[in-house]
Amino acid sequence: MNRIVKVFMILLASVLVLSCKKKEITHIIIWTDNIEFMSYVEHFNSTHKDLKAVVVYKKEVAKALPVAKDEVPPDIVVGSWLMNSAVRKNFQPVDFFFKESKLSLLDFYNQLLEYGKMNNRQYLLPVSFNLPAMVFNKKNESYVGTDHFLTVDQIKLTATMLNVKTDKNSYTSMGYAPSWDSDFLYIVTKLNEASYHEKGSSFMCDEDSISKSISLLRDWTSARNTDTSSEQNFQFRYLYMPKYNQVTSGRCLYAFLTSDEIFTLTKAQSSSLSFRWLIQNKKIPVEDNLITMGIYKDAENPRIAEKFIEWFMNENTQKELIERTENMKLNSINFGIAGGFSSLKQVNEKYYPAFYRELFGNLPPENYICVPNILPARWESILSNVIKPYLVDSTKTDAAAGKSLKERISEWEKQRY
């Protein structure tokens, strides 16, 4: 081979190497319905010179899977409702994070990790979660007691202490009424082990537990608040303001809120409030929409996806993200990590009380946290159109119960097609 040919071959090789380098992907695409990840990705990009991430916001990220043919696939997906049978098949196993010691099993709440498993393989990693609570005016703590928890029976008993009637038998103060909040009705059924879970595109539940809950709630209304009409009339007359104002007004003792709702209140709104976790048999039910994270099965750059997850699931990183949120004054729209408690135990225990002082000495015990079963892809629709209306109608003390749960499920299924 003469000298000219050798030089040509060397130049050609150089061009090919440079071409390959130019085509090398150095960024990942993250699909999410959690707006906080926009800030997190911005921080990742500012601290990684050679690695970049791009966020694509999807209003309902679970429904965007599998990826349409004309779309660039994500590398990472973050959001709620990813673990049902219709969606989870879009992810690849991530057990290697633990086998290669990139992440530690001991850092996570074990219950949350179990939620992300299928056939003993880890497909999704937990990101954040929220818990149910009852809020009240600090001035009324003598009624509530000093324990960190409240059972439904305790709420019923203590709420009655604030009930006041006029001579005309009309309430001017009412501690709490089940009919005020369909979310509360639903959480009572969860506390009583209704065990809602996926069955195909619909769901199953323990109907005996739901019947028990309905009887409990009806008896509460009849024995403590006269009837459902009295509860509803009182709510219409006095409780037309936001929940945090309801308890500070002095008209009622309790309001039902979740942790993300409590810790996104402003200081002015929350300064006179306290709260207790809702509990039954030493179990606090995690809200259904817990957030998880996974690597898409057809990710174009899983290597950088792994690096992002390893970075994000780090105690120091999450401390920085919480501090960044505080410094940028984003706390008005965000609680903790991705709008909830972190899936990393040490982050909650070491850093949350510093930013949310109400949590000092009041963090939920690890062994009390109870995750939901796997729920169907359309669970939010089922909940709002089937379960809550059924509970509202069935717990009324002065009206017919209406359609059965099975009838409502059947109607909902027909409307889907």
Side-chain angles (χ1 to χ4, degrees):
M1 188 181 295
N2 61 40
R3 185 176 178 183
I4 294 175
V5 173
K6 286 182 179 179
V7 171
F8 175 79
M9 294 298 290
I10 292 170
L11 288 172
L12 179 60
S14 299
V15 169
L16 289 172
V17 169
L18 288 172
S19 177
C20 290
K21 285 184 177 179
K22 286 180 181 179
K23 289 183 179 179
E24 183 181 354
I25 301 172
T26 59
H27 69 275
I28 54 169
I29 297 173
I30 299 175
W31 280 13
T32 183
D33 53 15
N34 187 279
I35 60 173
E36 284 80 17
F37 265 82
M38 296 179 184
S39 174
Y40 301 162
V41 166
E42 185 181 357
H43 188 52
F44 175 80
N45 291 341
S46 68
T47 54
H48 293 75
K49 292 182 179 180
D50 301 324
L51 305 176
K52 300 298 174 186
V54 176
V55 175
V56 176
Y57 179 77
K58 298 282 184 178
K59 187 177 180 181
E60 296 177 295
V61 71
K63 293 181 180 179
L65 298 173
V67 177
K69 292 181 180 179
D70 59 346
E71 279 194 288
V72 178
D75 297 287
I76 295 174
V77 180
V78 185
S80 305
W81 321 110
L82 300 181
M83 197 54 200
N84 59 75
S85 58
V87 179
R88 65 191 179 210
K89 58 188 176 184
N90 292 287
F91 298 95
Q92 57 180 270
V94 291
D95 306 83
F96 62 86
F97 278 113
F98 304 111
K99 292 176 181 177
E100 298 173 11
S101 299
K102 293 180 177 181
L103 298 175
S104 172
L105 290 169
L106 298 177
D107 290 343
F108 292 85
Y109 292 90
N110 184 60
Q111 306 94 309
L112 299 181
L113 282 176
E114 288 296 320
Y115 175 85
K117 285 185 177 180
M118 180 175 62
N119 298 325
N120 293 318
R121 299 292 307 273
Q122 193 80 45
Y123 280 81
L124 293 170
L125 295 171
V127 174
S128 65
F129 63 97
N130 280 290
L131 300 171
M134 302 301 288
V135 297
F136 58 91
N137 194 323
K138 290 177 181 177
K139 293 179 180 179
N140 291 326
E141 192 164 34
S142 59
Y143 294 108
V144 179
T146 57
D147 196 3
H148 299 305
F149 314 104
L150 279 172
T151 65
V152 173
D153 286 341
Q154 288 172 325
I155 296 166
K156 178 173 65 174
L157 177 65
T158 54
T160 309
M161 298 178 187
L162 215 68
N163 282 11
V164 177
K165 286 183 179 181
T166 65
D167 294 338
K168 295 182 179 180
N169 228 25
S170 177
Y171 287 92
T172 57
S173 175
M174 185 179 284
Y176 192 70
S179 67
W180 291 346
D181 194 335
S182 61
D183 289 331
F184 180 78
L185 299 178
Y186 172 59
I187 204 70
V188 169
T189 66
K190 288 181 66 175
L191 289 164
N192 283 316
E193 300 181 354
S195 190
Y196 300 100
H197 60 279
E198 178 184 55
K199 183 187 179 184
S201 60
S202 189
F203 74 102
M204 289 188 67
C205 59
D206 187 326
E207 293 189 32
D208 289 340
S209 294
I210 293 178
S211 296
K212 175 185 173 184
S213 299
I214 290 170
S215 296
L216 181 155
L217 292 162
R218 286 173 60 89
D219 291 346
W220 176 348
T221 295
S222 298
R224 308 285 174 166
N225 301 331
T226 308
D227 53 35
T228 303
S229 291
S230 297
E231 293 179 341
Q232 293 291 293
N233 290 337
F234 180 86
Q235 183 180 38
F236 178 78
R237 186 176 298 174
Y238 298 113
L239 304 182
Y240 45 80
M241 67 283 282
K243 289 182 180 180
Y244 65 88
N245 274 347
Q246 292 175 11
V247 294
T248 56
S249 72
R251 293 287 183 178
C252 65
L253 180 56
Y254 295 114
F256 173 75
L257 290 174
T258 52
S259 50
D260 55 325
E261 294 172 319
I262 295 171
F263 296 111
T264 52
L265 293 173
T266 66
K267 289 183 180 179
Q269 292 167 341
S270 64
S271 60
S272 60
L273 298 180
S274 189
F275 70 94
R276 299 287 185 267
W277 302 118
L278 260 174
I279 190 172
Q280 190 79 358
N281 299 322
K282 295 186 177 181
K283 297 294 181 185
I284 307 173
V286 169
E287 288 292 292
D288 295 338
N289 61 342
L290 70 164
I291 295 174
T292 57
M293 166 189 287
I295 299 177
Y296 187 61
K297 64 178 182 179
D298 296 323
E300 293 187 354
N301 199 352
R303 182 183 64 83
I304 298 179
E306 293 168 19
K307 289 184 179 295
F308 179 88
I309 292 174
E310 191 176 351
W311 169 83
F312 179 77
M313 293 297 185
N314 177 275
E315 179 184 324
N316 290 329
T317 296
Q318 294 201 4
K319 175 177 179 288
E320 290 175 5
L321 295 177
I322 297 172
E323 289 174 342
R324 189 171 189 271
T325 298
E326 179 71 16
N327 292 336
M328 295 179 69
K329 304 301 179 184
L330 296 176
N331 58 309
S332 61
I333 60 169
N334 181 43
F335 161 51
I337 292 295
F341 285 106
S342 172
S343 61
L344 302 178
K345 293 181 287 186
Q346 287 297 308
V347 173
N348 293 330
E349 293 170 6
K350 291 169 66 173
Y351 307 121
Y352 273 50
F355 293 96
Y356 309 99
R357 294 188 179 181
E358 300 90 342
L359 288 172
F360 185 77
N362 197 15
L363 282 166
E366 177 184 353
N367 59 320
Y368 281 26
I369 293 171
C370 180
V371 299
N373 297 311
I374 305 303
L375 296 165
R378 295 172 60 86
W379 181 245
E380 288 179 300
S381 175
I382 294 171
L383 193 57
S384 61
N385 294 298
V386 178
I387 295 172
K388 288 181 181 178
Y390 170 70
L391 294 175
V392 168
D393 289 345
S394 299
T395 53
K396 290 177 180 176
T397 61
D398 41 11
K403 297 173 183 176
S404 69
L405 183 57
K406 288 182 179 178
E407 288 173 328
R408 293 169 189 264
I409 294 170
S410 178
E411 287 185 359
W412 175 82
E413 289 177 337
K414 288 177 183 176
Q415 292 170 2
R416 292 174 56 232
Y417 300 104

